[in-house]
Amino acid sequence: MQTLNQDIRSGEFKQIYLLYGEEAFLKNSYKNRLKEAIIGDDTMNFARFEGKGLDVDELIRLADTMPFFAEHRLILIEDSGFFKTASDALVQYLPSMPDTTILLFVETEVDKRNRLYKKVKDMGYATELNRQDKYGHIAEMERQDSAQLARWAAGILAKNGKKITTRTMEYFLGKTGDDMENIRMELEKVISYTLGRDVITDEDVMTVCTVQVTNRIFDMVAAIVNRQTRKAMDLYEDLLTLKEPPMRILFLIARQFNQLLQVKELMAKGMDKGTIASKLKMQPFVVGKTMPQARQFSREQILSYVNSCVETEEAVKSGRLQDRLAVELLITKEYG
């Protein structure tokens, strides 16, 4: 992200940008900042394409069009799937694209073996080597670790004249999860709730912050491993009521069991909460909740839960089980 910030400040842009990764807030933020820096409010020299099955010929024709009374033409392409299944025509076109055109790709997933990904990456190497070539830059927007999120959230609070202790910040992030857009919205609620006061307390967080899906998943996993089947099923029904897809719930359950396994293994090496949180890029508050759970079970027991998640996913993908039923069976399964 350092390169993106530098380009935005300097006004000297690459010809191709690829923003991808899990952190939607960062992708949207840099997408909007790049758009503003490159063309501002100029709608005449801006075009946006979205979704799979885009007309590549139309995209290339537009990219070949010179900007109208401006330095650049910006084309934004979102969730195209081009970096999973490359368009040969687009890969071959990029080296001859006019210098006045800038392509900004914003994708959720990429395949680093993909021809288009490699082409943009090669252009990035050209930039680093100062070669006279078409320049490109790839930026992965990953989930931020707890320390980065805490600094970012504290910065927003400080701008609004608010203070928060490290312990209360851990508690806040434990409730909000690591999604930056959700954190931003929850911060707005806390700031509004504490008008007239400058210190955020645990009670403020408890009163106004919404318990996120990841917290419900943590409670569900705790219920599964403690054989509290009814409680686990109630939590599952709550998530379905909130329109969470069964396969996303399965993914989050599997992720929680994997984290449990990782915490267990690092605890066995003598690591403390802070070290584990830093190594796994987890919030200390979450690690603190996970460690007692990890102590209750052997590594082999936790691994059996992980394997069950893998088997459940395979059963759904192969068509042997319907997704909702498959997760129900996982929750109610008797583990040795």
Side-chain angles (χ1 to χ4, degrees):
M1 288 181 281
Q2 182 177 352
T3 297
L4 297 176
N5 289 326
Q6 182 178 330
D7 290 359
I8 291 168
R9 284 194 301 268
S10 69
E12 296 180 3
F13 303 106
K14 313 293 186 293
Q15 275 203 272
I16 304 170
Y17 291 94
L18 166 60
L19 313 181
Y20 78 96
E22 291 185 356
E23 186 45 75
F25 178 87
L26 285 178
K27 284 192 297 184
N28 285 328
S29 175
Y30 278 101
K31 174 187 73 177
N32 293 331
R33 288 178 62 196
L34 281 167
K35 179 176 180 290
E36 174 64 25
I38 295 168
I39 60 167
D41 296 328
D42 181 1
T43 57
M44 189 170 295
N45 294 300
F46 173 71
R48 179 176 178 270
F49 293 81
E50 183 180 14
K52 296 178 174 60
L54 299 179
D55 187 333
V56 176
D57 290 337
E58 180 186 354
L59 195 161
I60 290 174
R61 280 196 299 272
L62 187 59
D64 271 337
T65 304
M66 297 299 290
F68 187 72
F69 292 113
E71 187 176 356
H72 299 293
R73 173 176 297 281
L74 175 65
I75 302 176
L76 171 63
I77 304 135
E78 300 190 72
D79 296 318
S80 66
F82 285 150
F83 293 88
K84 297 283 280 186
T85 305
S87 161
D88 289 339
L90 188 57
V91 173
Q92 293 168 9
Y93 168 72
L94 292 185
S96 62
M97 188 172 71
D99 294 342
T100 52
T101 296
I102 296 175
L103 298 183
L104 172 55
F105 292 94
V106 182
E107 303 286 335
T108 301
E109 292 182 299
V110 304
D111 181 347
K112 294 182 180 180
R113 301 166 298 180
N114 173 277
R115 289 183 62 211
L116 186 58
Y117 181 93
K118 289 180 177 179
K119 174 63 73 175
V120 177
K121 186 177 180 181
D122 287 344
M123 291 178 174
Y125 287 146
T127 304
E128 293 172 9
L129 296 171
N130 292 318
R131 293 193 342 234
Q132 295 302 308
D133 202 344
K134 305 297 179 185
Y135 295 166
H137 179 69
I138 296 174
E140 181 178 5
M141 305 298 178
E142 299 178 298
R143 295 285 191 187
Q144 303 294 286
D145 64 30
S146 58
Q148 293 167 320
L149 291 173
R151 286 193 296 271
W152 176 68
I156 293 175
L157 291 175
K159 287 179 182 177
N160 287 272
K162 304 294 181 182
K163 301 175 184 176
I164 190 169
T165 66
T166 300
R167 185 179 62 81
T168 301
M169 178 61 80
E170 286 187 9
Y171 177 52
F172 171 77
L173 292 176
K175 286 182 74 72
T176 63
D178 61 1
D179 182 275
M180 294 178 73
E181 179 61 27
N182 182 64
I183 292 172
R184 184 191 63 78
M185 291 189 294
E186 294 298 308
L187 284 172
E188 288 180 359
K189 288 161 60 176
V190 171
I191 290 166
S192 297
Y193 181 74
T194 57
L195 284 177
R197 290 190 286 116
D198 62 351
V199 178
I200 308 295
T201 67
D202 286 1
E203 289 71 25
D204 297 327
V205 173
M206 184 185 303
T207 302
V208 302
C209 291
T210 305
V211 176
Q212 296 305 302
V213 169
T214 49
N215 298 73
R216 294 173 190 262
I217 293 294
F218 185 92
D219 292 339
M220 184 189 298
V221 167
I224 292 172
V225 297
N226 288 310
R227 294 179 172 80
Q228 298 172 319
T229 304
R230 184 66 264 163
K231 180 179 179 180
M233 284 299 299
D234 286 345
L235 288 165
Y236 181 47
E237 293 295 334
D238 287 347
L239 291 171
L240 292 174
T241 301
L242 292 170
K243 307 298 183 184
E244 285 293 328
M247 289 307 287
R248 173 166 165 76
I249 296 172
L250 174 60
F251 165 77
L252 292 171
I253 292 173
R255 187 176 72 171
Q256 181 62 34
F257 276 125
N258 273 304
Q259 287 182 346
L260 195 59
L261 181 62
Q262 290 175 305
V263 169
K264 178 77 175 178
E265 291 175 340
L266 294 181
M267 286 171 61
K269 296 179 180 179
M271 295 186 187
D272 60 16
K273 181 177 78 172
T275 306
I276 293 173
S278 176
K279 195 168 186 66
L280 298 182
K281 295 186 177 181
M282 291 172 62
Q283 299 158 15
F285 184 85
V286 175
V287 175
K289 291 200 302 181
T290 304
M291 289 174 74
Q293 201 176 81
R295 290 191 187 99
Q296 296 178 36
F297 303 94
S298 67
R299 181 183 181 279
E300 289 69 28
Q301 286 174 311
I302 300 173
L303 191 58
S304 72
Y305 291 117
V306 173
N307 291 334
S308 292
C309 290
V310 173
E311 292 167 2
T312 301
E313 182 181 10
E314 289 176 350
V316 174
K317 288 184 175 179
S318 65
R320 288 184 286 117
L321 285 175
Q322 186 263 347
D323 55 1
R324 179 167 178 165
L325 174 61
V327 179
E328 288 180 7
L329 292 175
L330 173 70
I331 293 171
T332 57
K333 180 178 177 180
E334 290 290 333
Y335 294 88

